[in-house]
Structures are given as C-alpha cells and as structure tokens.
Amino acid sequence: MLGYGGVLVADPWLQNQFTQVELLRLRSKFVSAKREMGHVTVNLLPPVMAKLKGLNQVVAEPEIANFLAESYSDTSREIDFELFLQVYLDLKAKVATKSSSVKGCWAFLKATTTTHLHTINESEKASYVAHINSYLGEDPFLQKFLPLDPATNDLFNLVKDGVLLCKLINVAVPGTIDERAINTKQGLNHWERNENHTLCLNSAKAIGCILVNIGTQDLIEGRPHLVLGLIFQIIKIKLLADLNLKKTPQLMELADDKKDVEELMSLAPEKMLLKWMNFHLKRAGYKKTVTNFSSDVKDGRAYAYLLDALAPELSRTWHIKDRNERAKRVIEQAEMLGCKRYLSPKDIVEGSPNLNLAFVAQIFQHKNGLSSDNKHISLSQTMPGDIQVSREERTFQLWINSLGIVTHVNNLFEDIRNGWVLLEALDKVSPGSVNWRQATKPPIKMPFRKVENCNQVINVGKRLNFSLVNVAGNDIVQGNKKLILAYLWQLMRFNSLQLLKNLRFHTRGKEISDASILDWANNKVKESGRISRMESFKDKNLSSGIFFLELLNAVGPRVVNWKLVTRGVNDEEKMLNATYIISVARKLGCSVFLLPEDIIEVNQKMILSLTASIMYWNLTIDDAASETSRTENGDGITGE
C-alpha cells in the first residue's frame, strides 16, 4: 500500500496535470505493460494507450500509432513513466482539439495551455476583473494583488493558487467556504495549490455551477477560456440570486393567475429576468418581446424603454437614431441608478449575451420597479416555507444537477413533476434501468403522459428495492413533497452505495449497507489513535463535529488544522466546527451538498451521505493504490 503522499513525478508541471487517483491508475497500467513486454517502447504504446480512460472508444489504435510516428523519429525508443504521462496528455489533447497535424510531443503540450484554439472575449475579461476588483478589493489577503489590470494576464496568474476563486465563491454565496480551510501562506507547494482548487471546484458544484471538462490542473495552469467560463458562472449566481419568489416575493406581480404562479416557480433565474424585463417593456409601450440577451437588445431600444419605465425622471433615449449613441446613453443612465459598468456600448451593439445578462441583472438589483402590494406578498407567503424541507430540497437539487443530466433543475418540486428529470437521474445512477421508448420528453401537453413517466419512475424504484409502499406516479405529478423527498433520498443513497460497491479491491462486488459504512468510519477513527465513536447516524454527540474532524484527519493526516477546531460545546462552537468540516471534506476531494445545520441538528440522512462521501474518497485512493501495488507485485491487471 502506498502512503498518503501517493505517486510523485519529478516534473512539478506534469504532476499537477493529474489527480492522485489518475496517477495511481496510470502507474499501474505502465508497470503492467512493462512487466508483460519486458520494456516499454514508443511503437508498443498504441494498444496500451487505447485502453486508458479518456482514450478508449474515442481514438483508435491506428490513429494513436500515426500520431506517435509523427511525434517520434525513433519509435523503438524506450520510455519511462514520466514520458508515458506526457504521451497520454498529448493524446487527450488530440482527442479534445480534433487536431491531426502536431509535429511533436512538446508542441502538443504547449497547444493545450495556450489560447490559440479558444477566443478570449476581452470585454468579458475586463468586466469580470472589474467585478473582482469591486467585491474583493479590500480582502485582507487579496488586497496586495488588487486591483487587477484587465489589459494583462494578472487574472490568470492570480487564479493559479486557488485563493481568488474560493473567495469569489463566497461573494456569490456567502459562507459556502470556511476560509480557514483555504491555504493562504506564501509560496504554496503543488499539493497545497491542488487542495485549494479541489476545494474551489467542489464548492462551485455545491452552489450550482456546471463543471464540464474542467479539473484542478486547468486552474493551476490558469487556462483562460476555462477560468473565464467558471468565473462567469460564479458571477451569474451572485447577480441572479434574488430572481426567485422566495427572495423577491414582489415577482408575484408578474403572475395573473395560479397557472402563471406555477410557471414562475419553475423558471430559471435568467428566464425570470427576461419575464421581468418584458413585463416592464409591455407597460412602457415597447411592441416587441425580448427572448434573449443578444440579438434582441443589440439596437439598445429595449434598454431605453426599460429605463424609461423604471426611472421616468431620466431623459428619454429611445428616440435617438444612432444605435451607438443610444447604447452609450443607456449605460450612462444605468450608472445614474447605481449600476456598475459591466459592459461598454460596443458590447450592447455586438450583442454580448453574458455581459448583457449581467447588465440587466444589475438593473433589477438596483431598481426592479415592482409593487409591494399586500395582495402579491400574501400570495407568496402561501408557499410552504418549512426550513427542513427547504434544506433537503436544495441538497437534492444540487445533487441531481451534479449527475450531469441534460435537463437542469431550477425548482426541484416543480421541475420533476413530469417525471423526465427523475428518469434521467435514474439512468445515470442505474444505467439501462429506464425504458426510453415508454417515456415522453418535455414539453408534455397531455397530463396522462406525465403520469406514465412517473409510473415508470416508481416501477424502476421498486426494481432497485426502494421502499415505495402505497406510492404511485400520480403522487409525483401532484407534487407530494414528502413522498418526493423520500424517493430522492433513496435514489441518492442507492447511488452512494453503488459507488462504494464498485470499488473492486475493497468490496469484491458485495452489497454495501448503512451498517458497513458506520463500521468503516468507527474503525478508521480508532486506527488513527482517536477515541471518538459514532453509535448511529442519528447520534446526538455528532453535533459537536469532533468525530467527523477525527475521521477526516484519519483519511487525510494533514488536512485538519487542529488549532482551528473548537470543543463544540455550544451552538457557536458547533457551527464553527460544522462549517470547517464541510470545507475540509471538499478540500480533500469529497463531493458533499449538506449544510452546517445538517451536522449540528444531526440530520440522519445527510450524516449518512457525508460519511459515505468520505468513505468513497478514501477507498478510491486506496483502491488505486492497491491496484498499483498488485501490479508491481506481478498480479497483473488489464483493461480499464
């Protein structure tokens, strides 16, 4: 078994391209190939590379052979593990860029870290830099680096240690990251930078960012297109935070009847913003409907009418004929309302969708022009506001979105009532379990089709041994929150147990139970020399947080700073420990969606979920290490 330090590579840059799990698995493949062949040469690599994750079923052996022949004049050259990793990176880059004209290994490595293949929008970059300078300019750690100059690469350089993005996430959703868990000392080593980026990515996922094809190495390198994409998502969450009925009940004014209220509840924030904008435009006499933040606002007329409706005291601009002059005046008037300058007149005229969305969101934040009519407020207050339901709703919504399904969930209870989202989630968690021929994709006009979808959801759940006594598909269609939450919990638990079951070196395909997770956690803490113990997942002693800190310390011996841990004897100390636990778990690599309150109140479901996530991360590392160890001892493992 390898120690916690894992696999080390001489080249720090190369080290940072991989997680430890990836390095351990690649190491085992390399050692296995070397033992089988006696030595590894360039011309022997195609069948080995074609089986690796990320390449298998994507690039064929002949294509790999052609690439290697182009890259190396001497294909009989013997390679070491470091060059093996470089070739693997090259091939992944080839798959990603669809390029076939690379003339050398290092040329490919350089191509993956430049912006030649990705156009960087300088206006967007400048806008994001302005946002960062505005919100983080007085941060005790970052103030020595700010303000950033948008004309330079300062942003991408500052991102590389992970601190900036973590702080930006806390601007978007305060309290998401316990800043005590961020590594902020001068001269971070690659382990500490990787921890910050792991914390950042897991936290970004926990606030609703969609992370596709982005990993810690991309942030460590400061790859511009990926960095800007992530920053925009974080900023958008900040700007659109109030565009829902819970935060801004005045939005109820946009609804004329119960049907409209149901529609409002299920709208994504950007759709809600468009609906709000069109509401005021109609009142102002604007004849068109704005359907996007690009082509529909390029002439600036919609903005002119919107500002006229919201602030009639401002001089009218919609009569100005020149669109560039009109755009300039629109921005000047928005600044009079207190809006930050997120875009230039050119960005309006060119129809930059991201910057126009940010601009309209700013206007909404400063002057939404909605009524405080008691009628509308009372309607919003009829919506159930149970705190526990709300927390579980948030957890399951974020978890479903993290599965990578096609449909994005904006309002859990509304979005799953047609059954389609649940079928997508089931297919991700249990591939092949859904009969798509018997499913109807939204939009669904016929009510019985929704019932059919939901009936299949129930039937699949029963095949997966969920407890669904007296539950029918119509209960989901009708939005029965208690039953929906119960179903989602069983689905989330099933997913966790399946992930653990698939770790072959530990479970051998055996079923995993709640009791085995409990025993694993207690044994792990005991083996580390600590005395804490968890009697059950509803053990009230867990509210102090000490057990989970000791468990995290047991699986990651240097990840907990005990100087920051309190005794957890009162509510304040418990909250400090609970927030620290969640950030440390994410920093380690665990994907968790619970809140500190779930730990303090010992929410049995969320406690089990947290423990299973820590167990899965630890066994994944051990599993990869075991695979390497077995391979090096001659037990041979082939395939992926």
Side-chain angles (χ1 to χ4, degrees):
M1 180 73 66
L2 295 179
Y4 180 70
V7 176
L8 294 177
V9 179
D11 182 350
W13 181 90
L14 195 58
Q15 176 89 45
N16 289 332
Q17 306 311 300
F18 303 94
T19 65
Q20 271 299 302
V21 173
E22 291 170 331
L23 282 173
L24 286 163
R25 292 191 185 282
L26 288 168
R27 169 80 176 170
S28 74
K29 304 305 180 189
F30 176 75
V31 172
S32 178
K34 188 172 184 178
R35 190 187 63 254
E36 292 174 6
M37 302 173 185
H39 59 281
V40 180
T41 58
V42 173
N43 59 352
L44 295 177
L45 281 178
V48 178
M49 289 289 175
K51 294 179 181 179
L52 296 180
K53 186 176 182 180
L55 299 178
N56 59 331
Q57 298 181 340
V58 178
V59 60
E61 282 187 39
E63 190 176 356
I64 294 174
N66 289 337
F67 165 69
L68 294 176
E70 292 175 1
S71 302
Y72 298 93
S73 56
D74 181 11
T75 58
S76 62
R77 171 186 175 186
E78 186 171 355
I79 66 172
D80 57 15
F81 179 55
E82 188 165 321
L83 188 53
F84 180 83
L85 293 176
Q86 291 172 0
V87 173
Y88 175 66
L89 278 180
D90 293 350
L91 288 167
K92 285 191 70 176
K94 182 177 180 65
V95 169
T97 62
K98 307 296 184 183
S99 173
S100 60
S101 59
V102 178
K103 296 184 179 180
C105 178
W106 285 106
F108 230 144
L109 287 174
K110 291 175 183 175
T112 64
T113 60
T114 64
T115 61
H116 294 160
L117 299 174
H118 302 274
T119 302
I120 300 302
N121 187 311
E122 292 297 334
S123 292
E124 290 188 11
K125 175 185 169 187
S127 177
Y128 305 160
V129 166
H131 181 93
I132 291 167
N133 288 339
S134 174
Y135 283 96
L136 293 172
E138 298 181 3
D139 181 86
F141 178 81
L142 293 173
Q143 61 183 357
K144 57 192 171 189
F145 304 107
L146 301 179
L148 296 171
D149 182 353
T152 69
N153 285 327
D154 288 350
L155 171 61
F156 306 121
N157 291 329
L158 187 55
V159 159
K160 292 180 180 180
D161 68 6
V163 178
L164 173 65
L165 291 176
C166 288
K167 300 266 188 179
L168 194 59
I169 286 172
N170 273 353
V171 168
V173 184
T176 299
I177 295 176
D178 186 333
E179 296 196 4
R180 297 175 299 168
I182 305 173
N183 299 320
T184 56
K185 73 176 186 180
Q186 294 294 325
L188 298 178
N189 60 41
H190 68 272
W191 295 110
E192 292 162 334
R193 288 196 302 272
N194 189 72
E195 285 180 339
N196 280 349
H197 289 304
T198 301
L199 172 59
C200 163
L201 292 176
N202 280 317
S203 299
K205 189 162 55 174
I207 66 171
C209 293
I210 306 301
L211 304 179
V212 179
N213 297 327
I214 181 169
T216 56
Q217 66 270 21
D218 300 309
L219 301 182
I220 289 171
E221 286 181 25
R223 295 186 178 182
H225 64 289
L226 295 176
V227 169
L228 291 180
L230 177 57
I231 288 177
F232 173 68
Q233 288 195 70
I234 297 170
I235 291 176
K236 186 168 79 166
I237 288 170
K238 164 70 176 174
L239 294 175
L240 301 182
D242 294 335
L243 277 150
N244 59 74
L245 295 178
K246 291 181 181 178
K247 291 286 188 68
T248 309
Q250 292 88 348
L251 285 166
M252 194 70 72
E253 187 178 354
L254 307 184
D256 293 326
D257 52 34
K258 183 178 179 181
K259 184 178 180 180
D260 283 348
V261 172
E262 292 178 355
E263 179 192 352
L264 283 178
M265 292 174 64
S266 63
L267 282 181
E270 50 265 48
K271 295 293 185 183
M272 182 76 84
L273 190 61
L274 281 171
K275 191 172 184 66
W276 166 82
M277 186 177 182
N278 283 309
F279 173 80
H280 285 299
L281 289 177
K282 184 178 180 180
R283 283 188 166 186
Y286 190 64
K287 302 301 182 181
K288 299 179 182 179
T289 298
V290 175
T291 60
N292 58 65
F293 294 107
S294 182
S295 59
D296 286 359
V297 296
K298 289 173 70 171
D299 63 7
R301 288 187 179 277
Y303 287 148
Y305 276 88
L306 177 63
L307 291 173
D308 190 30
L310 295 174
E313 69 276 11
L314 299 175
S315 60
R316 295 186 175 185
T317 58
W318 48 264
H319 65 280
I320 298 175
K321 294 182 179 180
D322 182 77
R323 65 169 57 193
N324 292 293
E325 179 62 24
R326 188 187 305 123
K328 179 182 176 182
R329 292 284 298 278
V330 161
I331 292 175
E332 290 173 351
Q333 291 188 339
E335 288 179 336
M336 292 179 189
L337 297 179
C339 299
K340 295 183 177 69
R341 184 178 280 258
Y342 269 92
L343 78 178
S344 67
K346 180 182 177 183
D347 298 319
I348 292 179
V349 173
E350 292 184 350
S352 172
N354 289 350
L355 297 184
N356 278 291
L357 183 149
F359 180 57
V360 179
Q362 274 269 302
I363 296 174
F364 174 85
Q365 286 186 346
H366 285 82
K367 197 173 184 70
N368 64 38
L370 297 173
S371 169
S372 298
D373 192 305
N374 290 332
K375 173 186 175 183
H376 296 301
I377 302 299
S378 62
L379 275 172
S380 69
Q381 289 174 342
T382 63
M383 297 162 53
D386 181 80
I387 294 175
Q388 183 65 40
V389 169
S390 180
R391 286 214 303 264
E392 291 195 5
E393 174 189 0
R394 170 194 173 277
T395 296
F396 293 134
Q397 176 180 325
L398 292 170
W399 172 72
I400 289 175
N401 286 332
S402 76
L403 294 175
I405 65 175
V406 175
T407 307
H408 186 77
V409 178
N410 297 296
N411 182 300
L412 183 74
F413 295 124
E414 291 301 314
D415 290 354
I416 69 174
R417 286 173 60 181
N418 61 27
W420 184 262
V421 167
L422 288 174
L423 290 173
E424 285 188 276
L426 283 164
D427 197 50
K428 283 285 186 180
V429 170
S430 180
S433 61
V434 175
N435 184 347
W436 291 108
R437 293 181 179 179
Q438 296 180 3
T440 303
K441 185 177 181 178
I444 304 175
K445 296 182 179 180
M446 304 299 292
F448 75 91
R449 294 296 185 190
K450 298 178 183 180
V451 175
E452 287 179 345
N453 280 355
C454 292
N455 281 340
Q456 184 174 182
V457 166
I458 298 300
N459 290 334
V460 173
K462 288 179 178 178
R463 292 201 299 271
L464 298 179
N465 295 320
F466 293 1
S467 177
L468 297 169
V469 180
N470 296 324
V471 179
N474 197 50
D475 294 315
I476 298 175
V477 176
Q478 295 300 318
N480 186 315
K481 293 188 176 183
K482 182 178 180 181
L483 293 179
I484 288 171
L485 290 176
Y487 188 98
L488 288 172
W489 161 241
Q490 293 184 82
L491 182 59
M492 186 178 184
R493 176 179 172 274
F494 174 84
N495 184 51
S496 296
L497 298 183
Q498 283 298 109
L499 290 172
L500 289 169
K501 178 182 176 181
N502 291 338
L503 294 172
R504 55 188 171 188
F505 286 110
H506 291 277
T507 66
R508 304 290 182 183
K510 296 179 181 177
E511 295 297 327
I512 297 291
S513 66
D514 296 2
S516 59
I517 297 174
L518 181 71
D519 290 342
W520 171 86
N522 282 325
N523 290 334
K524 206 70 184 177
V525 171
K526 184 177 180 180
E527 289 169 5
S528 71
R530 301 278 179 168
I531 59 174
S532 294
R533 181 174 178 80
M534 174 168 51
E535 297 301 328
S536 70
F537 294 113
K538 53 184 178 180
D539 185 343
K540 293 302 180 184
N541 291 323
L542 295 174
S543 65
S544 71
I546 298 300
F547 176 84
F548 284 110
L549 288 165
E550 293 187 347
L551 177 60
L552 288 165
N553 183 73
V555 300
R558 65 180 189 83
V559 77
V560 175
N561 182 347
W562 288 103
K563 294 179 182 179
L564 303 176
V565 177
T566 73
R567 291 183 299 165
V569 296
N570 56 45
D571 290 344
E572 182 180 356
E573 290 186 350
K574 289 177 180 179
M575 178 60 74
L576 285 170
N577 284 351
T579 55
Y580 189 53
I581 287 167
I582 293 171
S583 289
V584 168
R586 289 174 179 157
K587 178 179 179 178
L588 200 59
C590 304
S591 183
V592 294
F593 299 98
L594 77 168
L595 293 171
E597 291 82 0
D598 293 316
I599 297 175
I600 296 170
E601 297 172 11
V602 193
N603 181 324
Q604 183 179 357
K605 297 174 184 176
M606 298 302 113
I607 292 294
L608 171 57
S609 174
L610 173 62
T611 311
S613 295
I614 298 171
M615 180 179 179
Y616 177 71
W617 178 85
N618 180 243
L619 296 188
T620 300
I621 294 294
D622 286 353
D623 198 30
S626 297
E627 184 176 342
T628 299
S629 178
R630 286 164 58 90
T631 302
E632 292 176 343
N633 290 332
D635 292 337
I637 299 167
T638 59
E640 184 64 45

